Amino acid sequence: MPEAPPPITVEEHLARILAAVRPLPAYQQPLMEALGLAAAESVVSPIALPPFDNSAMDGYAVHRADVEGAGPEAPVELPVVGEISAGNAQLLALSPGTTAKIMTGAPVPTGADAVVPYEWTDHGVARVRIDKAPTAGQHVRRAGEDVAVGDLLVEEGTVLGPRHLGLLASVGRSTIAVRPRPRVVILSTGTELREPGTALGHDSIYDGNSYLLAAAARRAGALAYRVGIVPDQPRAFLDALEDQLVRADVVVTSGGVSMGDHDVVKEALAPLGTVWFGPVAMQPGKPQGFGTVGEDDTLIFTLPGNPVSSYLSFELFVLPALRTMMGLAPVSRPEVSMRLTHAITSPPGRRQFLRATTEAGHGRVTPVGGPGSHLVGDLATADALVVVPEDVTALPAGAEVGVIHLDSGLEGGH
Ligand code: AMP
Ligand code: MG
């Protein structure tokens, strides 16, 4: 039996992954498909907004000089020569000494330089009495006052939200170049696994991991395809993998990568020589694998089977890869410093990630459960990870530790 290679650090493993991952090629997609994705082009405005001078009120368009000095004691009367409504503007110019009814959003006719709101008039139809004079330009929205032709609307790399999409549509864009959502195929291995909703035998457990990983991938912004359970048989595993490669940018497997007798993923993939397997100096999540498979060199992450290990490995290694593919910064959750409410211990030589809960605003972090990588109940309770460095074996209550919040920094998700 070959000897296990010495562990590599979390950073070394991540660096190796990021060196192999490229942003997916961008293409023009309909605006609604781009929600939450990073723009792969900078967009400048092809038109001005507003596109033309238009009325901000329902009222009467006037030459301001005609109504100068109008007041309740000295009303001005003008003939009403037409009506201009939004989307129905036949009157293009207004002669001095006349007025036209105008609705909000309708183009202000040439010559007119202010709008008198209804409230300042007697609402006249053929003639109108005006009791108050507008100031120059009052109630007129000027062409280009919001956006000028050539203004930068969206910078490349911006994660597109509703307001960006609304603006792009407002200047007439129907598509924008974005990187597509990576397609992630998730395969659970384990002869003991059963699909939720089916009966559980005396020696079986439900496949929680594929849901955990698929949900995490989807929340990261990827398209997640959850494949059924694959038994611990190399042939069955390779067949399932082969079937799935057509729809995968990334394959994520769980289970079958440690030192046991039925480590199917390792057994099936090691002979290919394209997937690295080895220990990473972390707890949980020590057994890892990463490489490529198939004709198109599809990326594959082989994560350990224990649910907490699987999830942590996703957060630390798969998530940065997916984000890179989407044109986002690989790591979105900086470690913040908080104080431990309880003392902890940690194995030497491995970076420990403890599940924990945080108290917003108090800067305190409380470890939940133990270090056991099977503790899914505690994992669900946790909202953060405490990061204990490799060379630290014990910390007292009150010690400052690095904390990663698990539910932040997920722009791009859906
Ligand atoms: P393995 O890495 O395959 O040796 O699995 C390690 C532990 O994780 C074993 O106790 C497995 O039963 C458990 N496990 C593996 N895959 C899953 C899964 N998909 N869902 C829940 N537990 C799993
Ligand atoms: Mg297994």
PDB file of all heavy atoms in Angstrom, residues 83-115:
ATOM      1  N   GLU A  83     -53.892  69.188 -26.810  1.00  0.00           N
ATOM      2  CA  GLU A  83     -53.619  68.352 -25.643  1.00  0.00           C
ATOM      3  C   GLU A  83     -52.502  67.375 -26.008  1.00  0.00           C
ATOM      4  O   GLU A  83     -52.512  66.773 -27.081  1.00  0.00           O
ATOM      5  CB  GLU A  83     -54.878  67.583 -25.232  1.00  0.00           C
ATOM      6  CG  GLU A  83     -54.607  66.708 -24.034  1.00  0.00           C
ATOM      7  CD  GLU A  83     -55.870  66.049 -23.475  1.00  0.00           C
ATOM      8  OE1 GLU A  83     -56.949  66.657 -23.530  1.00  0.00           O
ATOM      9  OE2 GLU A  83     -55.729  64.913 -22.988  1.00  0.00           O
ATOM     10  N   ILE A  84     -51.527  67.261 -25.118  1.00  0.00           N
ATOM     11  CA  ILE A  84     -50.380  66.364 -25.360  1.00  0.00           C
ATOM     12  C   ILE A  84     -50.363  65.349 -24.230  1.00  0.00           C
ATOM     13  O   ILE A  84     -50.229  65.726 -23.062  1.00  0.00           O
ATOM     14  CB  ILE A  84     -49.050  67.149 -25.348  1.00  0.00           C
ATOM     15  CG1 ILE A  84     -49.161  68.437 -26.166  1.00  0.00           C
ATOM     16  CG2 ILE A  84     -47.905  66.282 -25.843  1.00  0.00           C
ATOM     17  CD1 ILE A  84     -48.056  69.430 -25.882  1.00  0.00           C
ATOM     18  N   SER A  85     -50.536  64.069 -24.592  1.00  0.00           N
ATOM     19  CA  SER A  85     -50.452  63.065 -23.526  1.00  0.00           C
ATOM     20  C   SER A  85     -49.271  62.148 -23.795  1.00  0.00           C
ATOM     21  O   SER A  85     -48.716  62.118 -24.893  1.00  0.00           O
ATOM     22  CB  SER A  85     -51.761  62.279 -23.428  1.00  0.00           C
ATOM     23  OG  SER A  85     -52.076  61.694 -24.668  1.00  0.00           O
ATOM     24  N   ALA A  86     -48.869  61.390 -22.754  1.00  0.00           N
ATOM     25  CA  ALA A  86     -47.697  60.521 -22.877  1.00  0.00           C
ATOM     26  C   ALA A  86     -47.930  59.509 -23.995  1.00  0.00           C
ATOM     27  O   ALA A  86     -48.974  58.853 -24.034  1.00  0.00           O
ATOM     28  CB  ALA A  86     -47.439  59.803 -21.551  1.00  0.00           C
ATOM     29  N   GLY A  87     -46.995  59.448 -24.910  1.00  0.00           N
ATOM     30  CA  GLY A  87     -47.098  58.491 -26.018  1.00  0.00           C
ATOM     31  C   GLY A  87     -48.007  58.964 -27.126  1.00  0.00           C
ATOM     32  O   GLY A  87     -48.260  58.234 -28.085  1.00  0.00           O
ATOM     33  N   ASN A  88     -48.549  60.203 -27.006  1.00  0.00           N
ATOM     34  CA  ASN A  88     -49.479  60.703 -28.017  1.00  0.00           C
ATOM     35  C   ASN A  88     -49.272  62.201 -28.159  1.00  0.00           C
ATOM     36  O   ASN A  88     -50.047  63.012 -27.666  1.00  0.00           O
ATOM     37  CB  ASN A  88     -50.917  60.381 -27.578  1.00  0.00           C
ATOM     38  CG  ASN A  88     -51.899  60.621 -28.701  1.00  0.00           C
ATOM     39  OD1 ASN A  88     -51.508  60.989 -29.813  1.00  0.00           O
ATOM     40  ND2 ASN A  88     -53.170  60.436 -28.407  1.00  0.00           N
ATOM     41  N   ALA A  89     -48.180  62.538 -28.823  1.00  0.00           N
ATOM     42  CA  ALA A  89     -47.798  63.943 -28.930  1.00  0.00           C
ATOM     43  C   ALA A  89     -47.832  64.392 -30.379  1.00  0.00           C
ATOM     44  O   ALA A  89     -46.904  64.132 -31.143  1.00  0.00           O
ATOM     45  CB  ALA A  89     -46.395  64.135 -28.349  1.00  0.00           C
ATOM     46  N   GLN A  90     -48.976  65.031 -30.749  1.00  0.00           N
ATOM     47  CA  GLN A  90     -49.056  65.560 -32.113  1.00  0.00           C
ATOM     48  C   GLN A  90     -48.562  67.006 -32.176  1.00  0.00           C
ATOM     49  O   GLN A  90     -48.044  67.445 -33.178  1.00  0.00           O
ATOM     50  CB  GLN A  90     -50.502  65.498 -32.636  1.00  0.00           C
ATOM     51  CG  GLN A  90     -50.762  64.269 -33.512  1.00  0.00           C
ATOM     52  CD  GLN A  90     -51.500  63.194 -32.730  1.00  0.00           C
ATOM     53  OE1 GLN A  90     -52.393  63.503 -31.950  1.00  0.00           O
ATOM     54  NE2 GLN A  90     -51.119  61.945 -32.935  1.00  0.00           N
ATOM     55  N   LEU A  91     -48.756  67.711 -31.105  1.00  0.00           N
ATOM     56  CA  LEU A  91     -48.373  69.130 -31.084  1.00  0.00           C
ATOM     57  C   LEU A  91     -46.880  69.233 -30.802  1.00  0.00           C
ATOM     58  O   LEU A  91     -46.420  68.879 -29.725  1.00  0.00           O
ATOM     59  CB  LEU A  91     -49.159  69.839 -29.967  1.00  0.00           C
ATOM     60  CG  LEU A  91     -49.011  71.351 -29.928  1.00  0.00           C
ATOM     61  CD1 LEU A  91     -49.771  71.995 -31.081  1.00  0.00           C
ATOM     62  CD2 LEU A  91     -49.520  71.885 -28.597  1.00  0.00           C
ATOM     63  N   LEU A  92     -46.127  69.667 -31.786  1.00  0.00           N
ATOM     64  CA  LEU A  92     -44.674  69.650 -31.643  1.00  0.00           C
ATOM     65  C   LEU A  92     -44.112  70.996 -31.212  1.00  0.00           C
ATOM     66  O   LEU A  92     -43.029  71.067 -30.664  1.00  0.00           O
ATOM     67  CB  LEU A  92     -44.014  69.205 -32.939  1.00  0.00           C
ATOM     68  CG  LEU A  92     -44.458  67.819 -33.426  1.00  0.00           C
ATOM     69  CD1 LEU A  92     -43.798  67.466 -34.740  1.00  0.00           C
ATOM     70  CD2 LEU A  92     -44.159  66.747 -32.378  1.00  0.00           C
ATOM     71  N   ALA A  93     -44.862  72.092 -31.523  1.00  0.00           N
ATOM     72  CA  ALA A  93     -44.375  73.429 -31.170  1.00  0.00           C
ATOM     73  C   ALA A  93     -45.536  74.249 -30.634  1.00  0.00           C
ATOM     74  O   ALA A  93     -46.690  74.044 -31.026  1.00  0.00           O
ATOM     75  CB  ALA A  93     -43.759  74.110 -32.388  1.00  0.00           C
ATOM     76  N   LEU A  94     -45.226  75.145 -29.738  1.00  0.00           N
ATOM     77  CA  LEU A  94     -46.261  75.977 -29.112  1.00  0.00           C
ATOM     78  C   LEU A  94     -45.976  77.443 -29.463  1.00  0.00           C
ATOM     79  O   LEU A  94     -44.885  77.950 -29.203  1.00  0.00           O
ATOM     80  CB  LEU A  94     -46.210  75.783 -27.589  1.00  0.00           C
ATOM     81  CG  LEU A  94     -47.342  76.422 -26.796  1.00  0.00           C
ATOM     82  CD1 LEU A  94     -48.640  75.632 -26.990  1.00  0.00           C
ATOM     83  CD2 LEU A  94     -46.990  76.487 -25.305  1.00  0.00           C
ATOM     84  N   SER A  95     -46.999  78.111 -30.064  1.00  0.00           N
ATOM     85  CA  SER A  95     -46.822  79.525 -30.410  1.00  0.00           C
ATOM     86  C   SER A  95     -46.946  80.374 -29.167  1.00  0.00           C
ATOM     87  O   SER A  95     -47.718  80.050 -28.265  1.00  0.00           O
ATOM     88  CB  SER A  95     -47.891  79.975 -31.406  1.00  0.00           C
ATOM     89  OG  SER A  95     -47.904  79.116 -32.507  1.00  0.00           O
ATOM     90  N   PRO A  96     -46.232  81.502 -29.111  1.00  0.00           N
ATOM     91  CA  PRO A  96     -46.380  82.425 -27.985  1.00  0.00           C
ATOM     92  C   PRO A  96     -47.846  82.861 -27.887  1.00  0.00           C
ATOM     93  O   PRO A  96     -48.553  82.934 -28.893  1.00  0.00           O
ATOM     94  CB  PRO A  96     -45.493  83.615 -28.357  1.00  0.00           C
ATOM     95  CG  PRO A  96     -44.535  83.086 -29.386  1.00  0.00           C
ATOM     96  CD  PRO A  96     -45.238  81.980 -30.097  1.00  0.00           C
ATOM     97  N   GLY A  97     -48.281  83.107 -26.664  1.00  0.00           N
ATOM     98  CA  GLY A  97     -49.658  83.554 -26.443  1.00  0.00           C
ATOM     99  C   GLY A  97     -50.658  82.421 -26.423  1.00  0.00           C
ATOM    100  O   GLY A  97     -51.863  82.663 -26.350  1.00  0.00           O
ATOM    101  N   THR A  98     -50.212  81.200 -26.507  1.00  0.00           N
ATOM    102  CA  THR A  98     -51.123  80.049 -26.431  1.00  0.00           C
ATOM    103  C   THR A  98     -50.603  79.074 -25.379  1.00  0.00           C
ATOM    104  O   THR A  98     -49.464  79.181 -24.911  1.00  0.00           O
ATOM    105  CB  THR A  98     -51.222  79.295 -27.770  1.00  0.00           C
ATOM    106  OG1 THR A  98     -49.963  78.650 -28.024  1.00  0.00           O
ATOM    107  CG2 THR A  98     -51.570  80.242 -28.920  1.00  0.00           C
ATOM    108  N   THR A  99     -51.460  78.101 -25.053  1.00  0.00           N
ATOM    109  CA  THR A  99     -51.039  77.046 -24.130  1.00  0.00           C
ATOM    110  C   THR A  99     -51.599  75.719 -24.618  1.00  0.00           C
ATOM    111  O   THR A  99     -52.502  75.699 -25.463  1.00  0.00           O
ATOM    112  CB  THR A  99     -51.516  77.344 -22.699  1.00  0.00           C
ATOM    113  OG1 THR A  99     -50.994  76.337 -21.819  1.00  0.00           O
ATOM    114  CG2 THR A  99     -53.020  77.333 -22.580  1.00  0.00           C
ATOM    115  N   ALA A 100     -51.035  74.623 -24.132  1.00  0.00           N
ATOM    116  CA  ALA A 100     -51.544  73.290 -24.458  1.00  0.00           C
ATOM    117  C   ALA A 100     -51.592  72.482 -23.183  1.00  0.00           C
ATOM    118  O   ALA A 100     -50.694  72.572 -22.347  1.00  0.00           O
ATOM    119  CB  ALA A 100     -50.645  72.612 -25.491  1.00  0.00           C
ATOM    120  N   LYS A 101     -52.682  71.722 -23.077  1.00  0.00           N
ATOM    121  CA  LYS A 101     -52.781  70.787 -21.950  1.00  0.00           C
ATOM    122  C   LYS A 101     -51.674  69.745 -22.101  1.00  0.00           C
ATOM    123  O   LYS A 101     -51.424  69.286 -23.224  1.00  0.00           O
ATOM    124  CB  LYS A 101     -54.136  70.080 -22.026  1.00  0.00           C
ATOM    125  CG  LYS A 101     -54.876  70.034 -20.738  1.00  0.00           C
ATOM    126  CD  LYS A 101     -56.158  69.259 -20.942  1.00  0.00           C
ATOM    127  CE  LYS A 101     -57.161  69.623 -19.876  1.00  0.00           C
ATOM    128  NZ  LYS A 101     -58.386  68.816 -20.017  1.00  0.00           N
ATOM    129  N   ILE A 102     -51.041  69.394 -21.019  1.00  0.00           N
ATOM    130  CA  ILE A 102     -49.944  68.409 -21.114  1.00  0.00           C
ATOM    131  C   ILE A 102     -50.009  67.451 -19.920  1.00  0.00           C
ATOM    132  O   ILE A 102     -50.348  67.864 -18.808  1.00  0.00           O
ATOM    133  CB  ILE A 102     -48.568  69.117 -21.221  1.00  0.00           C
ATOM    134  CG1 ILE A 102     -47.464  68.106 -21.574  1.00  0.00           C
ATOM    135  CG2 ILE A 102     -48.222  69.865 -19.935  1.00  0.00           C
ATOM    136  CD1 ILE A 102     -46.178  68.772 -22.065  1.00  0.00           C
ATOM    137  N   MET A 103     -49.766  66.174 -20.181  1.00  0.00           N
ATOM    138  CA  MET A 103     -49.834  65.157 -19.127  1.00  0.00           C
ATOM    139  C   MET A 103     -48.414  64.768 -18.698  1.00  0.00           C
ATOM    140  O   MET A 103     -47.459  64.908 -19.467  1.00  0.00           O
ATOM    141  CB  MET A 103     -50.546  63.891 -19.624  1.00  0.00           C
ATOM    142  CG  MET A 103     -51.961  64.136 -20.121  1.00  0.00           C
ATOM    143  SD  MET A 103     -52.983  64.852 -18.824  1.00  0.00           S
ATOM    144  CE  MET A 103     -53.887  66.072 -19.756  1.00  0.00           C
ATOM    145  N   THR A 104     -48.310  64.230 -17.503  1.00  0.00           N
ATOM    146  CA  THR A 104     -47.011  63.792 -16.979  1.00  0.00           C
ATOM    147  C   THR A 104     -46.335  62.831 -17.956  1.00  0.00           C
ATOM    148  O   THR A 104     -46.964  61.892 -18.436  1.00  0.00           O
ATOM    149  CB  THR A 104     -47.206  63.070 -15.625  1.00  0.00           C
ATOM    150  OG1 THR A 104     -47.890  63.949 -14.747  1.00  0.00           O
ATOM    151  CG2 THR A 104     -45.864  62.685 -15.013  1.00  0.00           C
ATOM    152  N   GLY A 105     -45.078  63.128 -18.271  1.00  0.00           N
ATOM    153  CA  GLY A 105     -44.296  62.255 -19.158  1.00  0.00           C
ATOM    154  C   GLY A 105     -44.426  62.610 -20.624  1.00  0.00           C
ATOM    155  O   GLY A 105     -43.670  62.090 -21.446  1.00  0.00           O
ATOM    156  N   ALA A 106     -45.366  63.510 -20.965  1.00  0.00           N
ATOM    157  CA  ALA A 106     -45.530  63.880 -22.386  1.00  0.00           C
ATOM    158  C   ALA A 106     -44.453  64.887 -22.781  1.00  0.00           C
ATOM    159  O   ALA A 106     -44.000  65.680 -21.953  1.00  0.00           O
ATOM    160  CB  ALA A 106     -46.910  64.468 -22.606  1.00  0.00           C
ATOM    161  N   PRO A 107     -44.023  64.870 -24.071  1.00  0.00           N
ATOM    162  CA  PRO A 107     -42.971  65.789 -24.507  1.00  0.00           C
ATOM    163  C   PRO A 107     -43.426  67.248 -24.440  1.00  0.00           C
ATOM    164  O   PRO A 107     -44.536  67.564 -24.868  1.00  0.00           O
ATOM    165  CB  PRO A 107     -42.702  65.379 -25.966  1.00  0.00           C
ATOM    166  CG  PRO A 107     -43.474  64.145 -26.219  1.00  0.00           C
ATOM    167  CD  PRO A 107     -44.482  63.969 -25.137  1.00  0.00           C
ATOM    168  N   VAL A 108     -42.570  68.088 -23.913  1.00  0.00           N
ATOM    169  CA  VAL A 108     -42.863  69.522 -23.852  1.00  0.00           C
ATOM    170  C   VAL A 108     -42.640  70.085 -25.258  1.00  0.00           C
ATOM    171  O   VAL A 108     -41.573  69.867 -25.846  1.00  0.00           O
ATOM    172  CB  VAL A 108     -41.943  70.211 -22.823  1.00  0.00           C
ATOM    173  CG1 VAL A 108     -42.107  71.721 -22.866  1.00  0.00           C
ATOM    174  CG2 VAL A 108     -42.227  69.674 -21.421  1.00  0.00           C
ATOM    175  N   PRO A 109     -43.633  70.779 -25.822  1.00  0.00           N
ATOM    176  CA  PRO A 109     -43.472  71.254 -27.205  1.00  0.00           C
ATOM    177  C   PRO A 109     -42.391  72.332 -27.300  1.00  0.00           C
ATOM    178  O   PRO A 109     -42.130  73.044 -26.329  1.00  0.00           O
ATOM    179  CB  PRO A 109     -44.851  71.823 -27.553  1.00  0.00           C
ATOM    180  CG  PRO A 109     -45.494  72.125 -26.239  1.00  0.00           C
ATOM    181  CD  PRO A 109     -44.934  71.154 -25.247  1.00  0.00           C
ATOM    182  N   THR A 110     -41.792  72.417 -28.463  1.00  0.00           N
ATOM    183  CA  THR A 110     -40.762  73.431 -28.713  1.00  0.00           C
ATOM    184  C   THR A 110     -41.351  74.807 -28.432  1.00  0.00           C
ATOM    185  O   THR A 110     -42.490  75.083 -28.799  1.00  0.00           O
ATOM    186  CB  THR A 110     -40.297  73.354 -30.192  1.00  0.00           C
ATOM    187  OG1 THR A 110     -39.909  72.016 -30.434  1.00  0.00           O
ATOM    188  CG2 THR A 110     -39.133  74.287 -30.469  1.00  0.00           C
ATOM    189  N   GLY A 111     -40.590  75.637 -27.793  1.00  0.00           N
ATOM    190  CA  GLY A 111     -41.058  76.988 -27.476  1.00  0.00           C
ATOM    191  C   GLY A 111     -41.515  77.090 -26.039  1.00  0.00           C
ATOM    192  O   GLY A 111     -41.225  78.064 -25.356  1.00  0.00           O
ATOM    193  N   ALA A 112     -42.231  76.070 -25.546  1.00  0.00           N
ATOM    194  CA  ALA A 112     -42.689  76.093 -24.147  1.00  0.00           C
ATOM    195  C   ALA A 112     -41.486  75.936 -23.232  1.00  0.00           C
ATOM    196  O   ALA A 112     -40.554  75.208 -23.557  1.00  0.00           O
ATOM    197  CB  ALA A 112     -43.696  74.984 -23.907  1.00  0.00           C
ATOM    198  N   ASP A 113     -41.489  76.642 -22.112  1.00  0.00           N
ATOM    199  CA  ASP A 113     -40.344  76.532 -21.196  1.00  0.00           C
ATOM    200  C   ASP A 113     -40.765  76.366 -19.749  1.00  0.00           C
ATOM    201  O   ASP A 113     -39.959  76.523 -18.844  1.00  0.00           O
ATOM    202  CB  ASP A 113     -39.391  77.722 -21.367  1.00  0.00           C
ATOM    203  CG  ASP A 113     -40.097  79.051 -21.197  1.00  0.00           C
ATOM    204  OD1 ASP A 113     -41.311  79.041 -20.881  1.00  0.00           O
ATOM    205  OD2 ASP A 113     -39.458  80.092 -21.378  1.00  0.00           O
ATOM    206  N   ALA A 114     -42.020  76.031 -19.515  1.00  0.00           N
ATOM    207  CA  ALA A 114     -42.473  75.716 -18.153  1.00  0.00           C
ATOM    208  C   ALA A 114     -43.836  75.049 -18.248  1.00  0.00           C
ATOM    209  O   ALA A 114     -44.505  75.113 -19.279  1.00  0.00           O
ATOM    210  CB  ALA A 114     -42.562  76.979 -17.300  1.00  0.00           C
ATOM    211  N   VAL A 115     -44.195  74.377 -17.152  1.00  0.00           N
ATOM    212  CA  VAL A 115     -45.517  73.750 -17.078  1.00  0.00           C
ATOM    213  C   VAL A 115     -46.238  74.319 -15.864  1.00  0.00           C
ATOM    214  O   VAL A 115     -45.667  74.392 -14.763  1.00  0.00           O
ATOM    215  CB  VAL A 115     -45.406  72.212 -16.999  1.00  0.00           C
ATOM    216  CG1 VAL A 115     -46.761  71.584 -16.662  1.00  0.00           C
ATOM    217  CG2 VAL A 115     -44.853  71.641 -18.308  1.00  0.00           C
TER     218      VAL A 115
END
